[in-house]
């Protein structure tokens, strides 16, 4: 394998591996549980959300049920009510507040199985969490830009 030419740009994803996807995106979902506005509404949704990320490949589950959100990666025996499929970088842009999920679904950049209307009803609950996500990734951003 030869080294890239100096004028070639190597596209690297934001996340180094699935552990980072879990740390940051999973982390914001975990933090959502304690958010005074979003937490109770997400728990009341009663939805099992499965997100299949690529680059890096990560299967994430967010079970929105009382008494607490259950967020983990890896396979799960439960049935998903909704499955979303997207690049992990798309998830990162969404949580930064830079990506419209409805537009992504319409363009086919994000694929969904299950009642999409249910997930679109939850999207407004994520908006108050964007600053929490940006805080989570601030250190990684700083080291990437150093």
């Amino acid at each position: 394998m030869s080294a890239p030419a100096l004028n070639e740009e190597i596209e690297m994803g934001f996340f180094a591996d699935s552990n980072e996807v879990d740390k940051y995106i999973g982390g914001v979902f975990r933090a959502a549980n304690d958010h005074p506005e979003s937490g109770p509404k997400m728990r009341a949704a009663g939805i099992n959300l499965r997100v299949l990320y690529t680059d890096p490949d990560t299967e994430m589950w967010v079970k929105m049920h009382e008494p607490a959100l259950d967020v983990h990666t890896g396979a799960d025996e439960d049935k998903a009510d909704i499955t979303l499929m997207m690049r992990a970088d798309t998830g990162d842009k969404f949580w930064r507040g830079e990506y419209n999920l409805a537009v992504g679904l319409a363009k086919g950049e994000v694929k969904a199985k299950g009642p999409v209307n249910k997930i679109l009803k939850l999207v407004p609950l994520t908006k108050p969490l964007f600053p929490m996500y940006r805080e989570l990734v601030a250190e990684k951003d700083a080291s990437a830009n150093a």
Side-chain angles (χ1 to χ4, degrees):
M1 189 165 112
S2 63
L6 291 176
N7 61 352
E8 280 184 59
E9 196 170 311
I10 302 170
E11 183 156 337
M12 289 283 300
F14 180 70
F15 301 107
D17 54 34
S18 62
N19 290 332
E20 283 196 352
V21 176
D22 182 51
K23 177 179 179 178
Y24 298 112
I25 296 179
V28 77
F29 275 117
R30 288 180 194 95
N33 189 59
D34 298 323
H35 189 276
E37 182 186 337
S38 300
K41 292 176 182 174
M42 289 177 93
R43 290 190 303 270
I47 291 173
N48 287 340
L49 171 65
R50 178 179 176 225
V51 186
L52 300 175
Y53 292 107
T54 59
D55 303 318
D57 291 349
T58 308
E59 179 177 354
M60 182 174 293
W61 284 81
V62 183
K63 297 180 179 184
M64 301 178 208
H65 302 276
E66 292 292 354
L69 298 179
D70 173 17
V71 182
H72 63 272
T73 56
D76 195 289
E77 295 297 314
D78 279 344
K79 180 184 178 295
D81 298 303
I82 301 162
T83 300
L84 294 177
M85 293 153 280
M86 70 184 86
R87 293 187 67 236
D89 282 359
T90 302
D92 172 61
K93 286 183 184 132
F94 171 79
W95 283 107
R96 290 174 188 270
E98 300 168 358
Y99 189 87
N100 184 311
L101 190 64
V103 171
L105 286 161
K107 287 182 169 180
E109 295 169 350
V110 177
K111 305 224 183 309
K113 288 183 184 172
V116 175
N117 61 322
K118 280 189 180 182
I119 199 68
L120 292 178
K121 283 182 185 171
L122 294 173
V123 169
L125 300 179
T126 62
K127 196 168 190 173
L129 306 173
F130 293 168
M132 294 166 67
Y133 180 78
R134 288 191 292 266
E135 197 174 301
L136 276 173
V137 297
E139 192 176 314
K140 181 170 173 55
D141 283 345
S143 67
N145 294 328

